[in-house]
Amino acid sequence: QAAMQCRWPGAMCLARFFMAAAALASVPTATTSPTRALPLLGYGTANIRDPVPIVQALQAGYRLIDTAVLYGNQKEVGEALRRSGLKREEVYIVTKVGFWPRTPLDSLLEKAKEHFPALAGFLRASKGHERNALDTTLEELGVEYVDLCLVHSPVATLTEFLLAFLPHRFGRFSFVRRLPVWLGPAVGRFLGGLDRLLGGGP
């Protein structure tokens, strides 16, 4: 990826490109089936909305492409696969489903998505919608199968999600580090009560 974003003079960029391609040619693999090998180095597509960087990654030698329903860019990934000129079996495709936890509001959201189409993407990336998510993935990528489908997040309840997501999202800010230690369990109890109130907890 560094070679593709090179800002050096043209000849040096070209040299770095070929060095990266040579390194990728020797990427080790793990055997996942008698006929399929999993490359242990792949190209992640989160936040990429343009097929061009993905095409460049494939041209540089990447043979594992990682995407997810949550990223909302699987059409672009599919376009990159087609532009690359590679055969389907030459690229190991990994996708992920089931990021958001289920909530009692899901049935209301199902009805509301007719009026708010953006909700369809949210629900598709939620737990309980894995089959629909995978069908949409195949359609958007323009392929008949993916090589590996993962559960994007292990959290099953609102509490688990918030306790995992909030520190990840806001922990970079210094004021979070200055919060008193006793606040952690208190927040956990509050979120646990909220989760039970919404019907998502034990």
Side-chain angles (χ1 to χ4, degrees):
Q1 191 171 3
M4 288 177 268
Q5 297 173 350
C6 180
R7 296 174 183 168
W8 296 352
M12 296 185 71
C13 280
L14 191 60
R16 290 194 69 194
F17 179 86
F18 282 113
M19 288 173 61
L24 287 168
S26 59
V27 169
T29 60
T31 301
T32 56
S33 75
T35 59
R36 206 71 172 113
L38 166 68
L40 298 184
L41 177 66
Y43 188 81
T45 62
N47 302 317
I48 295 179
R49 302 292 178 186
D50 184 349
V52 172
I54 306 170
V55 174
Q56 292 175 334
L58 292 166
Q59 290 173 341
Y62 282 93
R63 289 298 178 266
L64 184 149
I65 297 296
D66 173 82
T67 185
V69 175
L70 181 71
Y71 301 163
N73 65 352
Q74 294 189 125
K75 290 182 179 178
E76 289 79 3
V77 174
E79 177 63 23
L81 293 170
R82 287 185 288 277
R83 288 190 197 178
S84 73
L86 294 169
K87 297 178 180 178
R88 169 62 190 88
E89 59 270 19
E90 293 182 86
V91 183
Y92 198 103
I93 301 175
V94 179
T95 192
K96 300 180 286 293
V97 299
F99 180 81
W100 305 107
R102 298 186 73 168
T103 74
L105 300 177
D106 281 2
S107 58
L108 293 176
L109 295 176
E110 281 284 355
K111 297 176 181 178
K113 74 180 182 182
E114 298 176 7
H115 306 287
F116 303 96
L119 287 175
F122 170 81
L123 287 168
R124 196 176 302 121
S126 300
K127 288 180 170 50
H129 298 267
E130 291 84 357
R131 180 72 257 180
N132 174 252
L134 188 52
D135 289 341
T136 302
T137 291
L138 297 177
E139 180 182 346
E140 291 182 344
L141 290 176
V143 299
E144 294 183 357
Y145 66 94
V146 294
D147 297 283
L148 183 61
C149 182
L150 302 172
V151 175
H152 202 155
S153 167
V155 299
T157 68
L158 179 64
T159 298
E160 290 177 342
F161 178 77
L162 291 175
L163 288 175
F165 179 75
L166 292 180
H168 168 72
R169 176 60 71 183
F170 299 112
R172 71 191 72 171
F173 301 119
S174 59
F175 77 88
V176 174
R177 301 190 190 99
R178 293 197 293 268
L179 291 174
V181 174
W182 56 263
L183 191 58
V187 171
R189 287 192 294 272
F190 169 77
L191 291 175
L194 179 62
D195 209 26
R196 287 189 293 274
L197 182 65
L198 292 175

